[in-house]
């Protein structure tokens, strides 16, 4: 799609932050893998910090997890 195409991701501006309610048994690692396709320690640390978690393993059922676009969560990756 061309940038002038209204359905093009390039013309929509910044991607919105996705939110979900954590279900029993879900982990930060598992949710990161589902949402971003990866679950490395750099991503988990940044995602935990973005959500105010001091421990990536401290995710609890019922919590609202914010999942921003990867380029906003790890902006240094876009600089490489």
């Amino acid at each position: 799609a061309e940038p002038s195409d209204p359905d093009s991701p390039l013309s929509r501006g910044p991607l919105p932050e996705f939110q979900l309610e954590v279900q029993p048994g879900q982990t930060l690692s598992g949710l990161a893998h589902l949402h971003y396709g990866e679950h490395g320690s750099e991503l988990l640390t940044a995602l935990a910090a973005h959500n105010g978690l001091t421990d990536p393993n401290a995710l609890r059922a019922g919590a609202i997890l914010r999942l921003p676009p990867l380029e906003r969560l790890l902006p240094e990756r876009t600089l490489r």
Side-chain angles (χ1 to χ4, degrees):
E2 296 190 20
S4 61
D5 178 352
D7 292 324
S8 168
L10 297 175
S11 65
R12 289 191 194 134
L15 292 172
E17 185 166 276
F18 183 77
Q19 294 186 2
L20 61 80
E21 182 177 343
V22 178
Q23 301 301 309
Q26 289 183 315
T27 63
L28 192 63
S29 176
L31 291 168
H33 186 73
L34 285 172
H35 190 75
Y36 299 109
E38 61 178 283
H39 57 275
S41 62
E42 178 187 33
L43 173 60
L44 294 180
T45 300
L47 191 55
H50 184 77
N51 283 278
L53 301 171
T54 54
D55 179 359
N57 297 315
L59 196 60
R60 60 179 175 74
I64 300 300
L65 187 66
R66 297 176 299 129
L67 300 161
L70 191 58
E71 53 274 1
R72 192 160 26 134
L73 195 59
L74 298 171
E76 65 277 3
R77 283 192 178 179
T78 60
L79 301 176
R80 293 180 187 166

